[in-house]
Coordinates of all heavy atoms in Angstrom, one line a residue:
M1 N 64.9 185.1 113.5 CA 64.7 184.2 112.5 C 64.9 182.8 113.0 O 65.9 182.5 113.7 CB 65.6 184.5 111.3 CG 65.4 183.6 110.1 SD 66.8 183.8 108.9 CE 67.7 182.4 109.3
R2 N 64.0 181.9 112.7 CA 64.2 180.5 113.1 C 64.2 179.6 111.9 O 63.7 180.0 110.8 CB 63.0 180.0 114.1 CG 63.0 180.8 115.4 CD 61.9 180.3 116.3 NE 60.6 180.7 115.8 CZ 59.6 179.8 115.4 NH1 59.8 178.5 115.6 NH2 58.4 180.2 115.0
I3 N 64.6 178.4 112.1 CA 64.6 177.4 111.0 C 63.7 176.2 111.4 O 63.9 175.7 112.5 CB 66.0 176.9 110.6 CG1 66.9 178.0 110.2 CG2 65.9 175.8 109.5 CD1 66.5 178.7 108.9
Q4 N 62.7 175.9 110.6 CA 61.9 174.8 110.9 C 62.3 173.6 110.0 O 62.4 173.8 108.8 CB 60.4 175.1 110.7 CG 59.4 174.0 110.9 CD 58.0 174.5 110.7 OE1 57.5 175.3 111.5 NE2 57.4 174.1 109.7
A5 N 62.5 172.5 110.6 CA 62.9 171.3 109.9 C 61.8 170.3 109.8 O 61.2 170.0 110.9 CB 64.2 170.7 110.5
D6 N 61.4 169.8 108.7 CA 60.4 168.8 108.5 C 61.1 167.4 108.4 O 61.6 167.1 107.3 CB 59.6 169.1 107.3 CG 58.4 168.1 107.1 OD1 58.5 167.0 107.7 OD2 57.4 168.5 106.4
Q7 N 61.1 166.7 109.5 CA 61.8 165.4 109.5 C 61.2 164.4 108.5 O 61.9 163.5 108.0 CB 61.9 164.8 110.9 CG 62.4 165.7 111.9 CD 64.0 165.9 111.8 OE1 64.6 165.3 111.0 NE2 64.5 166.8 112.6
S8 N 60.0 164.6 108.2 CA 59.3 163.6 107.3 C 59.8 163.8 105.8 O 59.7 162.9 105.0 CB 57.8 163.8 107.3 OG 57.4 165.0 106.7
K9 N 60.4 165.0 105.5 CA 60.9 165.2 104.2 C 62.4 165.0 104.1 O 62.9 164.7 103.0 CB 60.6 166.7 103.8 CG 59.2 167.0 103.5 CD 59.0 168.4 103.1 CE 57.6 168.8 102.8 NZ 57.4 170.2 102.5
C10 N 63.1 165.1 105.2 CA 64.6 165.0 105.2 C 65.0 163.6 104.8 O 64.6 162.6 105.4 CB 65.1 165.3 106.6 SG 66.9 165.1 106.7
Q11 N 65.9 163.6 103.8 CA 66.4 162.3 103.3 C 67.9 162.1 103.7 O 68.5 161.2 103.3 CB 66.3 162.3 101.8 CG 64.9 162.3 101.3 CD 64.1 161.1 101.7 OE1 64.5 160.0 101.6 NE2 62.9 161.3 102.3
G12 N 68.4 163.0 104.5 CA 69.7 162.8 105.1 C 70.9 163.0 104.2 O 71.9 162.5 104.4
H13 N 70.6 163.8 103.1 CA 71.7 164.1 102.1 C 72.9 164.8 102.8 O 74.0 164.6 102.4 CB 71.3 164.9 101.0 CG 70.1 164.4 100.3 ND1 70.1 163.2 99.6 CD2 68.8 164.9 100.1 CE1 68.9 163.0 99.0 NE2 68.1 164.0 99.4
G14 N 72.6 165.6 103.8 CA 73.6 166.3 104.5 C 74.1 167.6 103.8 O 75.1 168.2 104.2
L15 N 73.4 168.0 102.7 CA 73.8 169.2 102.0 C 73.7 170.4 102.8 O 74.5 171.3 102.7 CB 73.0 169.3 100.7 CG 73.2 168.2 99.7 CD1 72.3 168.3 98.5 CD2 74.7 168.1 99.2
C16 N 72.7 170.5 103.7 CA 72.6 171.6 104.6 C 73.8 171.7 105.5 O 74.3 172.8 105.7 CB 71.3 171.5 105.4 SG 71.1 170.0 106.3
R17 N 74.2 170.6 106.0 CA 75.3 170.6 107.0 C 76.6 171.0 106.2 O 77.4 171.7 106.8 CB 75.5 169.2 107.5 CG 76.5 169.0 108.6 CD 76.8 167.6 108.9 NE 77.3 166.9 107.8 CZ 77.1 165.6 107.5 NH1 76.4 164.9 108.2 NH2 77.6 165.1 106.4
M18 N 76.7 170.6 105.0 CA 77.9 170.9 104.2 C 77.9 172.4 103.9 O 79.0 173.1 103.9 CB 78.0 170.1 103.0 CG 78.5 168.7 103.2 SD 78.8 167.8 101.7 CE 77.3 166.8 101.7
S19 N 76.8 173.0 103.6 CA 76.6 174.4 103.3 C 76.8 175.3 104.5 O 77.4 176.3 104.4 CB 75.3 174.7 102.7 OG 75.1 174.0 101.5
A20 N 76.3 174.8 105.7 CA 76.3 175.6 106.9 C 76.5 174.8 108.1 O 75.6 174.6 108.9 CB 75.0 176.4 107.0
P21 N 77.7 174.3 108.3 CA 78.0 173.4 109.5 C 77.8 174.0 110.8 O 77.6 173.3 111.8 CB 79.4 172.9 109.3 CG 80.0 174.0 108.4 CD 78.9 174.5 107.5
D22 N 77.8 175.3 110.9 CA 77.6 176.0 112.2 C 76.1 176.0 112.6 O 75.8 176.3 113.7 CB 78.1 177.5 112.1 CG 79.6 177.6 112.1 OD1 80.3 176.6 112.4 OD2 80.1 178.6 111.7
V23 N 75.3 175.7 111.6 CA 73.8 175.8 111.8 C 73.2 174.4 111.8 O 72.3 174.1 112.6 CB 73.1 176.7 110.8 CG1 71.6 176.8 111.0 CG2 73.8 178.1 110.8
Y24 N 73.7 173.5 110.9 CA 73.0 172.2 110.8 C 74.0 171.1 111.1 O 75.2 171.1 110.8 CB 72.5 172.1 109.3 CG 71.6 173.2 108.9 CD1 72.1 174.2 108.1 CD2 70.3 173.2 109.3 CE1 71.2 175.3 107.7 CE2 69.4 174.2 108.9 CZ 69.9 175.2 108.1 OH 69.1 176.3 107.7
D25 N 73.4 170.0 111.6 CA 74.1 168.8 111.8 C 73.1 167.7 111.4 O 72.0 167.9 111.0 CB 74.5 168.6 113.2 CG 75.6 167.6 113.5 OD1 76.1 167.0 112.5 OD2 75.9 167.3 114.6
T26 N 73.6 166.4 111.3 CA 72.7 165.3 111.1 C 73.0 164.3 112.3 O 74.1 164.2 112.8 CB 73.0 164.6 109.8 OG1 74.4 164.3 109.6 CG2 72.5 165.4 108.6
D27 N 71.9 163.6 112.7 CA 72.0 162.7 113.8 C 72.4 161.3 113.4 O 72.7 161.1 112.2 CB 70.7 162.7 114.6 CG 69.5 162.1 113.8 OD1 69.8 161.4 112.8 OD2 68.4 162.3 114.3
D28 N 72.5 160.4 114.3 CA 72.9 159.0 113.9 C 72.1 158.4 112.9 O 72.6 157.5 112.2 CB 73.0 158.2 115.2 CG 74.0 158.6 116.2 OD1 74.9 159.4 115.8 OD2 73.9 158.2 117.4
E29 N 70.9 158.8 112.7 CA 70.0 158.2 111.7 C 70.0 159.1 110.4 O 69.2 158.8 109.5 CB 68.6 158.1 112.3 CG 68.6 157.1 113.4 CD 67.2 157.0 114.2 OE1 66.4 157.8 113.8 OE2 67.1 156.2 115.1
G30 N 70.8 160.1 110.4 CA 70.9 160.9 109.1 C 69.9 162.0 109.0 O 69.8 162.6 108.0
Q31 N 69.2 162.2 110.1 CA 68.2 163.3 110.0 C 68.8 164.6 110.4 O 69.6 164.7 111.3 CB 67.0 162.9 111.0 CG 66.2 161.7 110.6 CD 65.2 162.1 109.5 OE1 64.3 162.9 109.7 NE2 65.3 161.5 108.3
V32 N 68.3 165.6 109.8 CA 68.8 166.9 110.0 C 68.6 167.4 111.5 O 67.5 167.1 112.1 CB 68.3 168.0 109.1 CG1 66.7 168.2 109.2 CG2 69.0 169.3 109.2
V33 N 69.5 168.0 112.1 CA 69.4 168.7 113.4 C 69.8 170.1 113.2 O 70.9 170.4 112.8 CB 70.3 168.0 114.4 CG1 70.3 168.7 115.8 CG2 70.0 166.5 114.6
V34 N 68.8 171.0 113.6 CA 69.2 172.4 113.6 C 69.8 172.7 115.0 O 69.3 172.4 116.0 CB 67.9 173.3 113.4 CG1 68.2 174.8 113.4 CG2 67.2 172.9 112.1
R35 N 71.0 173.3 115.0 CA 71.7 173.5 116.2 C 71.1 174.5 117.1 O 71.5 174.6 118.3 CB 73.1 173.9 115.9 CG 74.0 172.9 115.1 CD 75.4 173.4 114.9 NE 76.2 172.4 114.1 CZ 76.8 171.4 114.5 NH1 76.7 171.0 115.8 NH2 77.5 170.6 113.7
F36 N 70.1 175.3 116.7 CA 69.5 176.3 117.5 C 68.0 176.0 117.6 O 67.3 176.0 116.5 CB 69.8 177.7 116.9 CG 71.3 178.0 116.8 CD1 71.9 177.7 115.6 CD2 72.0 178.4 117.8 CE1 73.3 178.0 115.4 CE2 73.4 178.7 117.7 CZ 74.0 178.4 116.5
E37 N 67.5 175.8 118.8 CA 66.0 175.6 118.9 C 65.2 176.9 118.7 O 64.1 176.8 118.2 CB 65.7 175.0 120.3 CG 66.2 173.6 120.4 CD 65.7 173.0 121.7 OE1 64.8 173.5 122.4 OE2 66.3 171.9 122.1
G38 N 65.8 178.0 119.1 CA 65.2 179.3 118.9 C 65.8 180.1 117.8 O 66.1 179.5 116.7
D39 N 65.9 181.4 118.0 CA 66.5 182.2 117.0 C 67.9 181.9 116.6 O 68.7 181.5 117.4 CB 66.5 183.7 117.5 CG 65.1 184.3 117.5 OD1 64.2 183.8 116.8 OD2 64.9 185.2 118.3
I40 N 68.1 182.0 115.3 CA 69.5 181.8 114.8 C 70.2 183.1 115.1 O 69.7 184.2 114.8 CB 69.4 181.6 113.2 CG1 68.5 180.4 112.8 CG2 70.8 181.4 112.7 CD1 69.0 179.1 113.3
P41 N 71.5 182.9 115.6 CA 72.2 184.2 115.9 C 72.4 185.0 114.6 O 72.5 184.4 113.5 CB 73.6 183.6 116.3 CG 73.3 182.2 116.9 CD 72.2 181.7 116.0
A42 N 72.3 186.3 114.7 CA 72.3 187.2 113.6 C 73.5 186.9 112.6 O 73.3 186.9 111.4 CB 72.4 188.6 114.0
E43 N 74.6 186.6 113.2 CA 75.8 186.4 112.3 C 75.8 185.1 111.6 O 76.6 184.9 110.6 CB 77.1 186.5 113.2 CG 77.3 185.3 114.2 CD 76.7 185.6 115.5 OE1 75.8 186.5 115.6 OE2 77.1 185.0 116.5
L44 N 74.8 184.2 111.9 CA 74.7 182.9 111.2 C 73.4 182.9 110.3 O 73.2 181.9 109.7 CB 74.6 181.8 112.2 CG 76.0 181.5 113.0 CD1 75.8 180.4 113.9 CD2 77.1 181.2 112.0
E45 N 72.7 184.0 110.2 CA 71.5 184.0 109.4 C 71.7 183.7 108.0 O 71.0 182.9 107.3 CB 70.7 185.3 109.6 CG 70.0 185.4 110.9 CD 69.1 186.6 111.0 OE1 69.1 187.4 110.1 OE2 68.4 186.7 112.1
D46 N 72.8 184.3 107.4 CA 73.1 184.1 106.0 C 73.4 182.6 105.7 O 73.0 182.0 104.7 CB 74.2 185.0 105.5 CG 73.8 186.4 105.4 OD1 72.6 186.7 105.4 OD2 74.7 187.3 105.2
S47 N 74.2 182.0 106.6 CA 74.5 180.6 106.5 C 73.3 179.7 106.6 O 73.1 178.8 105.9 CB 75.5 180.2 107.6 OG 76.7 180.9 107.5
A48 N 72.4 180.1 107.5 CA 71.2 179.3 107.7 C 70.4 179.3 106.4 O 69.8 178.3 106.0 CB 70.4 179.9 108.9
V49 N 70.3 180.5 105.8 CA 69.5 180.6 104.5 C 70.2 179.7 103.4 O 69.5 179.1 102.6 CB 69.3 182.0 104.1 CG1 68.7 182.1 102.7 CG2 68.4 182.8 105.1
L50 N 71.5 179.8 103.4 CA 72.2 179.0 102.4 C 71.9 177.5 102.6 O 71.7 176.8 101.6 CB 73.7 179.1 102.6 CG 74.6 180.1 101.8 CD1 76.0 179.9 102.1 CD2 74.4 179.7 100.3
G51 N 71.8 177.1 103.8 CA 71.4 175.7 104.1 C 70.0 175.4 103.6 O 69.8 174.3 103.0
V52 N 69.1 176.3 103.9 CA 67.7 176.1 103.4 C 67.7 175.9 101.9 O 67.1 175.0 101.3 CB 66.9 177.3 103.8 CG1 65.5 177.2 103.1 CG2 66.7 177.3 105.3
E53 N 68.4 176.8 101.2 CA 68.5 176.8 99.7 C 69.2 175.5 99.2 O 68.9 175.2 98.0 CB 69.1 178.0 99.2 CG 68.3 179.3 99.5 CD 69.0 180.6 99.2 OE1 70.2 180.6 98.9 OE2 68.3 181.6 99.1
S54 N 70.0 174.9 100.0 CA 70.8 173.8 99.5 C 70.0 172.5 99.6 O 70.4 171.4 99.0 CB 72.1 173.6 100.3 OG 71.8 173.0 101.6
C55 N 68.9 172.5 100.3 CA 68.1 171.2 100.6 C 67.3 170.9 99.4 O 66.3 171.5 99.1 CB 67.3 171.4 101.8 SG 66.3 169.8 102.1
P56 N 67.6 169.7 98.7 CA 66.8 169.3 97.5 C 65.4 168.8 97.9 O 64.6 168.7 97.0 CB 67.7 168.2 96.9 CG 68.5 167.7 98.1 CD 68.7 168.8 99.0
E57 N 65.2 168.5 99.2 CA 63.9 168.0 99.6 C 62.9 169.1 100.1 O 61.8 168.8 100.6 CB 64.1 166.9 100.7 CG 65.1 165.8 100.3 CD 64.6 165.0 99.1 OE1 63.4 164.9 98.9 OE2 65.5 164.4 98.4
V58 N 63.4 170.3 100.1 CA 62.6 171.4 100.7 C 62.1 171.1 102.1 O 61.0 171.3 102.5 CB 61.4 171.8 99.8 CG1 60.9 173.2 100.1 CG2 61.8 171.8 98.3
A59 N 63.1 170.5 102.9 CA 62.7 170.1 104.3 C 62.9 171.2 105.3 O 62.5 171.1 106.4 CB 63.6 168.9 104.7
L60 N 63.6 172.3 104.9 CA 63.9 173.4 105.8 C 63.2 174.7 105.4 O 63.1 175.0 104.2 CB 65.4 173.7 105.7 CG 66.3 172.5 106.1 CD1 67.8 172.8 105.8 CD2 66.1 172.1 107.6
T61 N 62.6 175.3 106.4 CA 61.8 176.5 106.1 C 62.3 177.7 107.1 O 62.5 177.4 108.3 CB 60.3 176.3 106.4 OG1 59.9 175.1 105.6 CG2 59.5 177.5 106.1
V62 N 62.5 178.8 106.5 CA 62.8 180.0 107.3 C 61.5 180.5 108.0 O 60.5 180.7 107.3 CB 63.4 181.1 106.4 CG1 63.5 182.4 107.3 CG2 64.7 180.7 105.9
I63 N 61.5 180.7 109.3 CA 60.4 181.3 110.0 C 60.8 182.7 110.5 O 61.7 182.8 111.3 CB 60.0 180.4 111.2 CG1 59.7 179.0 110.8 CG2 58.8 181.0 111.9 CD1 58.5 178.7 110.0
D64 N 60.2 183.7 109.9 CA 60.5 185.1 110.4 C 59.4 185.5 111.3 O 58.3 185.8 110.9 CB 60.6 186.0 109.2 CG 62.0 186.2 108.7 OD1 62.9 186.3 109.7 OD2 62.3 186.3 107.5
D65 N 59.7 185.6 112.6 CA 58.7 186.0 113.5 C 58.5 187.5 113.5 O 59.3 188.3 113.2 CB 59.1 185.6 114.9 CG 59.0 184.1 115.1 OD1 58.1 183.4 114.6 OD2 59.9 183.5 115.7
Ligands
SF4_1 S1 69.8 168.9 102.9 FE1 67.7 168.6 103.4 S2 67.3 166.4 103.1 FE2 69.5 166.7 103.3 S3 70.0 166.5 105.5 FE3 69.6 168.6 105.1 S4 67.4 168.9 105.6 FE4 67.8 166.7 105.3

């Protein structure tokens, strides 16, 4: 499972980071950074989904390969 972040939608609220700090961060400009470029480690998948669901801008998408 991967997470795709749409930077054009991200408003930098940081709710994803607060919900799942092991998966999401924000950069100096307040844009979301997914800590994993490829697959999310299995033990963090639930956290990753929580972060997706917390985003009010629908900027995060789960990609199931
Ligand atoms: S919650 Fe959404 S809008 Fe806010 S920083 Fe995360 S991805 Fe960006």
Side-chain angles (χ1 to χ4, degrees):
M1 184 189 101
R2 295 180 293 119
I3 300 294
Q4 180 175 292
D6 184 340
Q7 303 290 354
S8 70
K9 292 182 179 174
C10 178
Q11 297 297 314
H13 306 295
L15 295 175
C16 54
R17 186 191 62 211
M18 285 186 256
S19 297
D22 289 341
V23 179
Y24 304 101
D25 196 4
T26 47
D27 65 18
D28 291 343
E29 295 173 354
Q31 291 282 297
V32 64
V33 175
V34 181
R35 295 184 186 275
F36 303 94
E37 287 186 16
D39 286 337
I40 303 295
E43 66 271 21
L44 292 178
E45 285 188 355
D46 287 349
S47 294
V49 171
L50 261 183
V52 169
E53 292 172 347
S54 76
C55 179
E57 307 297 334
V58 199
L60 301 171
T61 306
V62 173
I63 307 289
D64 263 320
D65 293 318

